[in-house]
Amino acid sequence: MNQKKFKVGIIGATGMVGQRFALLLENHPWFEVKVLAASARSAGKKYGDVVEGRWHMTKALPEKYKDMVIVDAENVEEVASQVDFCFCAVNMKKDEIKALEERYAKAECPIVSNNSAHRFTPDVPMVIPEINADHLEIIDAQRKRLGTKRGFIAVKSNCSLQSYVPAIHPLKELGVNKVLACTYQAISGAGKTFEMTAAAMESKRLGLCNKSLFVVPNHLTEQWAAEFLQLYPAANILVATKKDFEMKNRKRFCGRIATGDYDAVIIGHSQFEKIPISIERQRAVLQQQLDDIIEGIAEAKRNRGDRFSVKQLEKTKKSLQTKLEKLNDQSRKDDVVTFEELGIDRLFIDESHYYKNLYLYTKMRNVGGIAQTEAQKSSDLFMKCRYLDEITGGRGVVFATGTPISNSMVELYTIQRYLQYRTLQEHDLQHFDAWASMFGETVTAVELTPEGTGYRAKTRFAKFNNLPELMAMFKQVADIKTADMLDLPVPEVEYHNIAVKPSQVQKEMVASLGERAEKIRGGNVDSSVDNMLKVTNDGRKLALDQRMMNPMLPDEEGSKVNACVNEVYHIWEENSDKKLTQLLFCDLSTPKGAGEFSVYTDIRQKLIERGIPESEIKFIHEADTETKKQELFKKVRRGEVRILMGSTQKMGAGTNVQNKIIASHDLDCPWRPADLEQRAGQRKPEGRSVPICYGRHF
């Protein structure tokens, strides 16, 4: 006798969990999948077409689903009319999920939800059938609230509870009444460290990769290893040290990577660059770039392009030819294992925005925001990404960053070149000018000159076109998490901007900087003698403290340094009973040797003279090993060290000292806006936080 099957729908069918639902329900004796629902951008398309290239299950997509047409999940009545109930697994904001699931319930369509949105709704049962099936009785109360007869919402627990509670529950009969279980779910910021770790290990478990390589900031290698083992204590991982990549040890370490059966290898950014790609591959990539340049020159001449464009392209061509010639000279190269020989088939790049300066050429001239400078590390990563694309079908590289676009819109194109090169080729967008004509627009506006003495018209690449199409393409590789999606606890913040007046010496020096800038712009100065970068750097030094330009100049009473000392001391004294801590960020004038002027040592000495114990003031630069750094962080968290000073580079990422912070001081302005975000990332205390910025009014 055939049992009647329930007609069911899957809401969020195109996502990872939705795909898993589809497989579990394929030949289920009780359920028949009648509707596959997803977002509006997938609606009206065949399921097989939508998930092509995105099917993440180890088993192939069942034939029965391929031709099913996806329904818009927002069309509640259409979905509800075809099914007895629905399974729900959508990727939306919690309040949006709540609203959507309640709409289905009110349409008399029961919802069994995999989402967390309703797990704390009082009248929604969270059921593990083997344990608490009786909790379903609360549905009657829920129906009264919603005004429904059939419709309701029930949720499953999170994966951890679902896994270990059924196994633990029988132990109650043996007298066990306390169990300590530790799960690690997004415990640090957005949780990208653990997410990448889990992705690597699960990929290996599912047979999707064999050996993963993690490339992280140099000072975070050991911290990454520690957190990796927190999540997977039995994992076999290899962590690089500074000594491993010295010339005499490099070959041996790379040999260990190649021959060892490691779950993961963790190395620093600078170490990654020292693992070469094969000469043949380098030559092929450079030759392709050279061919593109030659084609660009020919096109410019055919279209009678301006002389400047042709000259720039000829200059780039000569540079590439020089690189090719150097590749042929192997007399000074050490014989080391190449990247292709390591056996790496999954690459994770942490803080990937450090690789934004990738080679590109364009016929655009005098357009701000289009930098044609090339970093060797970026070119090296690009070639390795192309190799992994070849052996993995475009699935071998993962980027993680909190600041994907820090300075220019061009950086989005750069990310796509790393991660979506084949997609760009398919749409004839691999060349920047083609991409820019499709998705970008130049804007000309009058702005203040850098030296502040006048105005100029400046054209910048600063506006997106066809944004929905661009984001649809980018979202094929991007998992974007915003602050409201993370829903992390955010402290109450009071922002203070402290402005100080410049000394007469500083005013005169600023005027001289303007004169230098005018001479440089007029072409009257050789770039090896003076240039805009030098002028800008001198301006930053001058804004911080005039003694950085000349240590013989007097210590001005109203300087930024002295204002900072006053503020730090006041907050220290006010919070002595609670032993609350302060961070002080300064990228310039870091600790020097004995006898050399440093803002760091000047501030410390003045605070000691005010009465703060020397043991409570530390520079992060003094912790030159991971062990020392972790011990320092412990002291800060305990309130033994109450003032910690450091640069954005050393103290911006991986600094876990937030629990007692009462104030954070920005003594100087870093080069990049993204650096300010890195600093702000350390301001996550429990309670009140006071970010204090120091500036000058000229």
Side-chain angles (χ1 to χ4, degrees), residues 394-412:
R395 299 182 181 181
V397 184
V398 178
F399 280 14
T401 177
T403 50
I405 302 176
S406 57
N407 283 334
S408 166
M409 291 164 47
V410 177
E411 291 170 25
L412 180 57

Side-chain angles (χ1 to χ4, degrees), residues 8-11 13 32-37 68 71 78-79 82-83:
V8 300
I10 303 173
I11 305 171
E32 182 72 28
V33 177
K34 290 293 184 181
V35 177
L36 297 174
M68 289 183 67
V71 179
E78 181 182 354
V79 176
Q82 301 179 59
V83 298

Side-chain angles (χ1 to χ4, degrees), residues 466-482:
N466 299 318
L467 194 57
E469 290 78 8
L470 175 60
M471 291 312 297
M473 184 186 294
F474 185 55
K475 281 188 174 182
Q476 293 175 13
V477 296
D479 180 19
I480 302 169
K481 294 184 178 178
T482 60

Side-chain angles (χ1 to χ4, degrees), residues 285-299 301 308-326 359-362 372 374:
V285 172
L286 287 174
Q287 188 61 55
Q288 184 182 358
Q289 293 176 357
L290 187 59
D291 293 342
D292 290 341
I293 292 291
I294 293 171
E295 185 183 335
I297 293 171
E299 185 184 347
K301 289 180 177 178
F308 179 85
S309 297
V310 175
K311 280 185 177 180
Q312 287 295 104
L313 291 173
E314 289 284 1
K315 186 178 178 181
T316 306
K317 175 186 171 183
K318 189 175 180 180
S319 172
L320 288 171
Q321 287 173 334
T322 304
K323 287 183 179 179
L324 274 172
E325 290 171 5
K326 285 183 178 179
Y359 156 88
L360 68 84
Y361 80 88
T362 175
Q372 290 182 261
E374 177 189 5

Side-chain angles (χ1 to χ4, degrees), residues 533-544:
L533 187 60
K534 286 185 177 180
V535 173
T536 306
N537 197 45
D538 286 348
R540 292 184 72 213
K541 291 178 180 178
L542 188 58
L544 179 57

Side-chain angles (χ1 to χ4, degrees), residues 610-622:
R610 293 280 189 98
I612 300 179
E614 185 175 355
S615 61
E616 294 187 9
I617 310 169
K618 293 295 181 182
F619 305 155
I620 198 165
H621 306 75
E622 297 168 338

Side-chain angles (χ1 to χ4, degrees), residues 2-6 24-32:
N2 293 331
Q3 185 179 352
K4 181 187 174 183
K5 290 187 177 183
F6 289 99
L24 291 172
L25 298 170
E26 180 189 1
N27 296 308
H28 203 283
W30 300 343
F31 310 119
E32 182 72 28

